[in-house]
Amino acid sequence: TVRAKPRGMFSQGRMNVGLGAGGGDGMFTISGSYGYFVIDGLRPGIAVQYTYQKQTNYSSNEVQGEFSLRYYLMEPDPIAPFLLVDTGIIHLSFSGDNISEKYTYYSVGGGGGVFMRAGKHLGFEVVAEAVKYLGVDSVLTKSGAVPKGVTFRWGVGLAFFF
């Protein structure tokens, strides 16, 4: 008799849907993502994120679309590290100090994280990465709305696997 190989959370053909939210200091963010394992451990994915920020002298609405590639180094037992690279396009509506403009710019990033299994089809992820923004109007960098150079970001999310 031939035994079928047990399917892991990160096995070829599995799908992943993620949800995230956060905020603080006048900011609120929500996000959603989808990924598909093309081979065991390797998951290309897409994500959309919306951020609203209100400060004393400005407010902004930001929508970001992102393409990412993640490689999970092992099946979660119950923890699994992963590596990631991503790129995205960002649309920003910025208002403040007699400025009301819309901007489009891009991001590239790389880093890693840890997946923590919380059930048969559920887990939490913690991600940290270095990000560089490209094609940013100098008005945004001078105002501090978008950082110059490489910056670091982190996030926590909920992931469902099917």
Side-chain angles (χ1 to χ4, degrees), residues 27-34 45-52 61-68 84-93 103-110 129-134 145-147 151 153-154:
M27 181 183 72
F28 177 73
T29 299
I30 57 172
S31 63
S33 65
Y34 171 81
I46 57 172
V48 175
Q49 177 177 297
Y50 170 77
T51 301
Y52 173 78
N61 291 284
E62 177 182 293
V63 177
Q64 178 173 354
E66 187 173 84
F67 173 76
S68 66
L84 74 98
V85 292
D86 56 43
T87 186
I89 184 168
I90 301 157
H91 296 288
L92 174 68
S93 296
Y103 302 93
T104 299
Y105 55 98
Y106 308 91
S107 67
V108 293
E129 71 174 320
V131 179
K132 171 75 174 153
Y133 297 103
L134 307 169
V146 177
T151 187
R153 65 182 179 189
W154 64 276

Side-chain angles (χ1 to χ4, degrees), residues 7 9-16 34-40 42 162:
R7 284 186 68 192
M9 286 184 103
F10 308 144
S11 294
Q12 180 178 5
R14 299 288 302 259
M15 291 181 284
N16 162 246
Y34 171 81
Y36 181 83
F37 287 88
V38 293
I39 61 172
D40 290 356
L42 185 63
F162 306 96

